[in-house]
Amino acid sequence: QLRLYLHSELSTSHATHGITPHEDYFQYSSYCTRRLHRLRHSQHVKRDLVHVRLYKSSLSTRIADTTSNNSSSNTAGNKAKKYAYRSIDLTNLPSTTLASHVNYFLEPLYCAERCWAASLALKAQMNSLVGSAADAAIGGGNKKNVSELGGDGLQNPRKDWSVGKFRAQSMKRLKKAVKYAELLETLALSTKPDAGDEEEEAAEASKAKEDAQPEEGMAQPPVDEHTQMEARAYASFMRGNLALEMNQWQTACTQYQMAMQLCEALGQGRIVVASSAAGADSGNGSTSSGNVQQLELFDFFNSRAKNVIAPLLKYCHYELQEKGLSPTEKISFLQSSSSIISDGATTDPSYLQSKLHSLKNETLQTQATSGSSMSQITFREIVVPVETKDLRMALLKIQDLKSEWEEEEKEERGKKKQNDNNTGSSPSSSSSPDDNDGGDDAKFMELLSGYDDAVSLVNKELKQLAALKSGPAVNAKKFQLVNLLGYSKYQKLKLVMGRNEELTNGIIQKCNEGDDDEGMTLKHLEEVAHLYDALLQDARAVASLPGGGSPDDFDGGETTSSSSSAVVVEDEFYLEANANVLRLRSLRCYYLARMHASPLVHKYSEAVALLDQAERLANEALEEIGACDQMENGDALLDILEKVAAEMRGEKCRVLALSYLSKSSSIGSGKCLLQRLHDYNIPSSPKSIAHVPPKLEPMACKPSFFDVALNYVSEYPVDELERAMEEYNGVEAASSGILGWFRRG
């Protein structure tokens, strides 16, 4: 019997021909066509698998096709008859013939894969065309048909297809995929005997009915039990996909449940181990590699059952009880289902994502229309109503994106802490600041684009009001929109500044808690100074944001997004923003001074001037932050800035010492400055001021030390010391004499 690893074969084909990394189903369908041509034209199976009437005498020829050939044999020429099409039915082949070569099973497998890939390719093309048509309709201009948007002139055969025809062709291909998958299952379970065995069975039919035991000459299946289970799991999975596309949820649940049970049974290894026990007893040296292969198969089937089939089964259960769920419960269920689909899934992963996206849009539209959520915002102690539906929907979308991004960031931090606890290393030494730029980057950029959309909506409404004459109603509307504009920009700048400051603190903490004694190198100082430069620009943008004040003082002139013509309102928000600007200016000057004082730059006079400026700005920032009672995280910022101010004073003393050393030259010893304060000779290297940590020096023990230590010494083990002395004396006595040297052991 043959042993085939069908799912491993398909996994390799998906990974190497466009499915897993890129979801290019058209490329995979083309690969399946080429692979089928190679499988059918193999020398051993060409007679049974090639669809030409040259091999019409083969057992694989369909019976109806054979009768039609005999009736029309006189109407066509010899060449036409030789290469005409013939229908093939592989179920006519006996079990022994099927067991002679693996191509009899790979041919229907790749036929099913080609039809499945063609179905998903048509579905993806239909979705892309519908999306482009929707974008064209929203953007205005010339409205085109769905087929015209994706057309490529006369070279595109589907340029005149409608959405219904795309859907019909996709379902037709998927049904053919199910047909070939069921053929593969039938061939794997086939027990058809040879032609000679059929005559013997017909002659002994009466005896076979009387006997209770089966015949000894009964044909066995062409493949072993493991391959039969894989074929059944594959056919059940394809039937489930067809039922899912046809919205037959009960049938899909049944088929997916059967496929998951078969994969779990294969993952537990009962079938594989039982069938390979005889091979393990043979004593070959390849048993260890076989066991490793079996472990990989177990992991593969377990992951397939958990990450591919289980989410689809859960979704079908959800559709069966969808009428009893609220929109929020539907969204949370779809998020949990779509998040565990792996990249190696053999189904379209965008199905659940599109369903989730449509449900989110429906929920946001309902909330924006009803006005129950995000009907007003608070900015600079002013309550601003949000009257337009589009702006409410944009703010609600931002709120959802922000909550998702914060949840993902919290999960990543929890995983990092758990890994640090397992490895026993500190978080600063085991992770870098760049580790945050991984999975949550897409969510972060999507959140920033959401803020940009809100800003563009407000600017669009402001431009519409700019042409109107000033009046109480117009000025009140402009005042609301200006505050909404300032709120949207402030939330975006606050988000970006928080992320950049977190990166800065991560670099500083990593350098301070590192195992090496170098501390912050010039590269680290440049990175920190660059980040503080970006933070300073954002802080100045926050200080110049429009908004604030009262509607009575608003003259209607602030109708543009630029801040050059905006009137400055000195409220609490403005004072906090200026205090933050002073803090960031001080920190930027401090790290620029450290850059100038580094050994590779050694510009000590500039460093001293920058440190003086940084210390002056730090004192001003401490006063301003202390005066702001309602500043967010004001106490924490004061503590950090006070510590940095103390570091500034110490750094200034160090830079002054280095400046003095750099102006002198000497050929003296290599001692540091701390060890030769009273010496005239100065070392040539101005870097060495003191050894950190101090070097160990020998120190003579005084008698009083032993007197103090005697109080903590317990009683001597007299018996053990005497026993050791006796043994030592015995060895010395035995080793004495002329031949004593040879007696030493």
Side-chain angles (χ1 to χ4, degrees):
Q1 291 180 333
L2 293 176
R3 162 67 66 87
L4 300 176
Y5 299 103
L6 303 177
H7 288 84
S8 298
E9 173 79 17
L10 295 181
S11 177
T12 304
S13 299
H14 291 175
T16 54
H17 293 89
I19 291 292
T20 301
H22 308 296
E23 298 181 6
D24 191 351
Y25 299 104
F26 181 77
Q27 177 187 353
Y28 184 64
S29 177
S30 301
Y31 161 73
C32 290
T33 302
R34 297 191 300 270
R35 183 69 189 276
L36 282 172
H37 183 271
R38 294 193 295 269
L39 291 173
R40 289 168 177 167
H41 286 78
S42 179
Q43 188 66 28
H44 302 282
V45 298
K46 182 191 296 185
R47 183 177 182 83
D48 297 325
L49 296 182
V50 176
H51 293 265
V52 293
R53 289 181 184 173
L54 176 65
Y55 307 113
K56 65 179 180 179
S57 60
S58 173
L59 294 176
S60 63
T61 305
R62 194 183 298 271
I63 298 176
D65 190 60
T66 304
T67 57
S68 63
N69 291 345
N70 295 332
S71 61
S72 61
S73 59
N74 298 326
T75 60
N78 294 330
K79 188 174 182 180
K81 289 191 299 180
K82 184 177 180 180
Y83 294 105
Y85 179 83
R86 71 173 177 120
S87 300
I88 290 178
D89 188 5
L90 294 180
T91 57
N92 295 334
L93 296 176
S95 176
T96 55
T97 304
L98 294 175
S100 62
H101 207 279
V102 296
N103 287 12
Y104 289 110
F105 301 94
L106 294 181
E107 196 265 349
L109 176 66
Y110 277 97
C111 283
E113 284 290 298
R114 180 174 64 173
C115 295
W116 167 80
S119 173
L120 290 185
L122 288 170
K123 184 179 178 182
Q125 188 176 2
M126 178 186 67
N127 292 335
S128 64
L129 294 179
V130 170
S132 60
D135 294 340
I138 293 173
N142 297 327
K143 295 184 179 180
K144 300 181 180 181
N145 296 328
V146 173
S147 57
E148 294 178 359
L149 291 172
D152 192 13
L154 299 176
Q155 298 178 359
N156 186 8
R158 304 187 184 98
K159 66 183 183 66
D160 295 328
W161 281 20
S162 62
V163 177
K165 189 168 184 180
F166 271 108
R167 172 73 176 172
Q169 290 296 324
S170 176
M171 295 301 298
K172 182 179 179 181
R173 286 293 180 180
L174 194 56
K175 289 177 182 178
K176 289 190 69 175
V178 173
K179 172 187 172 183
Y180 284 115
E182 291 176 347
L183 175 61
L184 175 65
E185 182 183 12
T186 304
L187 295 179
L189 302 175
S190 175
T191 56
K192 185 175 183 179
D194 294 338
D197 296 337
E198 290 180 358
E199 295 177 359
E200 294 177 1
E201 287 181 0
E204 299 177 359
S206 58
K207 295 182 180 180
K209 293 180 181 179
E210 296 176 358
D211 295 339
Q213 298 179 354
E215 299 179 2
E216 297 181 356
M218 185 177 181
Q220 294 182 353
V223 293
D224 59 355
E225 190 174 356
H226 173 83
T227 311
Q228 293 175 18
M229 292 184 67
E230 283 204 41
R232 290 172 56 195
Y234 181 76
S236 299
F237 183 72
M238 278 296 176
R239 286 192 289 264
N241 290 338
L242 177 61
L244 180 66
E245 290 293 332
M246 298 177 67
N247 297 334
Q248 298 176 358
W249 311 117
Q250 188 62 47
T251 306
C253 285
T254 304
Q255 297 299 329
Y256 282 141
Q257 185 68 34
M258 183 183 300
M260 189 168 67
Q261 290 177 358
L262 290 171
C263 287
E264 288 176 350
L266 290 169
Q268 293 175 2
R270 295 193 297 265
I271 304 301
V272 178
V273 174
S275 61
S276 61
D281 296 338
S282 61
N284 295 332
S286 62
T287 56
S288 60
S289 61
N291 293 333
V292 172
Q293 233 178 7
Q294 291 174 8
L295 293 176
E296 291 179 353
L297 282 174
F298 300 161
D299 292 339
F300 174 78
F301 284 110
N302 286 325
S303 64
R304 178 176 175 81
K306 180 181 179 181
N307 300 331
V308 178
I309 303 177
L312 296 172
L313 179 61
K314 191 176 180 182
Y315 176 73
C316 293
H317 285 304
Y318 155 75
E319 287 290 348
L320 288 175
Q321 56 184 359
E322 184 180 6
K323 296 181 180 179
L325 295 179
S326 62
T328 306
E329 292 174 345
K330 293 177 185 179
I331 291 174
S332 61
F333 176 84
L334 288 174
Q335 284 177 343
S336 62
S337 299
S338 60
S339 61
I340 59 178
I341 294 181
S342 62
D343 293 336
T346 56
T347 185
D348 188 3
S350 62
Y351 186 80
L352 297 181
Q353 294 290 343
S354 60
K355 188 76 173 179
L356 176 62
H357 185 67
S358 62
L359 275 176
K360 282 185 177 181
N361 288 336
E362 291 177 3
T363 306
L364 291 177
Q365 288 178 359
T366 303
Q367 294 177 356
T369 305
S370 62
S372 58
S373 300
M374 203 57 70
S375 59
Q376 60 184 13
I377 55 100
T378 303
F379 179 62
R380 302 180 77 159
E381 300 180 355
I382 301 173
V383 178
V384 183
V386 183
E387 298 177 353
T388 59
K389 175 186 173 182
D390 295 337
L391 190 55
R392 278 200 302 268
M393 189 171 177
L395 294 177
L396 287 170
K397 183 179 179 181
I398 290 171
Q399 188 178 1
D400 292 343
L401 290 173
K402 189 174 182 180
S403 61
E404 292 177 4
W405 175 68
E406 288 176 351
E407 288 178 2
E408 287 190 2
E409 199 173 28
K410 189 181 296 183
E411 289 179 0
E412 287 185 0
R413 288 178 180 176
K415 290 179 182 179
K416 288 179 183 178
K417 287 183 179 179
Q418 186 176 2
N419 294 334
D420 295 333
N421 294 332
N422 295 334
T423 56
S425 60
S426 61
S428 59
S429 60
S430 60
S431 62
S432 62
D434 296 336
D435 294 342
N436 295 330
D437 300 339
D440 61 340
D441 260 359
K443 290 287 184 183
F444 184 76
M445 297 305 296
E446 191 175 358
L447 182 56
L448 292 183
S449 65
Y451 283 116
D452 292 335
D453 294 340
V455 170
S456 63
L457 286 173
V458 178
N459 284 329
K460 184 178 180 181
E461 295 188 11
L462 282 173
K463 288 180 180 178
Q464 293 176 358
L465 295 176
L468 301 179
K469 295 181 179 180
S470 298
V474 175
N475 289 344
K477 183 66 175 178
K478 289 181 180 179
F479 179 76
Q480 293 178 4
L481 293 177
V482 165
N483 281 277
L484 286 172
L485 180 64
Y487 171 79
S488 302
K489 288 187 174 182
Y490 170 67
Q491 293 296 328
K492 179 184 177 181
L493 291 171
K494 181 181 176 182
L495 185 68
V496 175
M497 289 175 65
R499 187 178 177 88
N500 289 338
E501 197 149 6
E502 185 179 355
L503 291 175
T504 306
N505 294 334
I507 295 174
I508 296 172
Q509 186 179 4
K510 179 184 177 182
C511 295
N512 292 337
E513 297 182 2
D515 297 334
D516 52 353
D517 298 334
E518 295 182 359
M520 296 189 69
T521 60
L522 181 60
K523 181 180 178 182
H524 293 143
L525 292 172
E526 289 177 351
E527 292 178 356
V528 172
H530 179 70
L531 286 172
Y532 274 122
D533 194 6
L535 284 168
L536 183 58
Q537 293 180 7
D538 293 337
R540 286 171 174 166
V542 170
S544 61
L545 284 176
S550 62
D552 299 333
D553 300 334
F554 186 77
D555 58 353
E558 306 173 40
T559 57
T560 59
S561 60
S562 62
S563 59
S564 59
S565 62
V567 178
V568 177
V569 179
E570 295 186 359
D571 53 358
E572 185 71 20
F573 177 85
Y574 180 75
L575 296 177
E576 291 177 1
N578 282 336
N580 194 29
V581 169
L582 289 173
R583 180 183 70 90
L584 294 174
R585 285 180 61 192
S586 173
L587 292 173
R588 178 174 173 271
C589 284
Y590 172 59
Y591 285 101
L592 284 176
R594 292 187 61 177
M595 284 176 55
H596 285 79
S598 61
L600 296 178
V601 181
H602 53 80
K603 293 183 179 180
Y604 302 110
S605 59
E606 292 86 347
V608 172
L610 286 170
L611 285 171
D612 290 337
Q613 176 72 0
E615 191 173 358
R616 184 182 64 81
L617 291 173
N619 294 330
E620 293 180 6
L622 288 172
E623 293 178 1
E624 293 291 336
I625 294 174
C628 299
D629 299 332
Q630 301 178 0
M631 188 172 184
E632 186 178 359
N633 299 326
D635 296 336
L637 294 177
L638 281 175
D639 295 339
I640 295 173
L641 195 56
E642 287 176 356
K643 293 180 181 178
V644 176
E647 292 179 4
M648 289 177 187
R649 292 188 288 270
E651 184 71 16
K652 184 177 179 181
C653 295
R654 190 181 73 88
V655 173
L656 287 173
L658 290 174
S659 177
Y660 168 73
L661 292 175
S662 63
K663 296 177 181 179
S664 305
S665 61
S666 175
I667 55 174
S669 62
K671 293 182 180 180
C672 64
L673 179 62
L674 187 64
Q675 294 180 353
R676 52 169 193 79
L677 292 176
H678 303 288
D679 296 342
Y680 180 75
N681 292 331
I682 302 173
S684 58
S685 176
K687 182 180 178 181
S688 179
I689 297 177
H691 294 294
V692 180
K695 292 184 177 180
L696 298 177
E697 297 180 358
M699 183 174 60
C701 294
K702 298 181 180 180
S704 59
F705 170 76
F706 295 102
D707 296 338
V708 175
L710 183 60
N711 298 327
Y712 298 94
V713 176
S714 60
E715 296 181 358
Y716 290 104
V718 181
D719 298 335
E720 296 181 2
L721 290 174
E722 290 180 355
R723 191 181 305 111
M725 291 299 296
E726 289 177 0
E727 293 178 358
Y728 178 76
N729 294 333
V731 172
E732 289 292 334
S735 62
S736 63
I738 299 175
L739 301 177
W741 184 82
F742 296 99
R743 299 191 187 97
R744 295 179 181 178

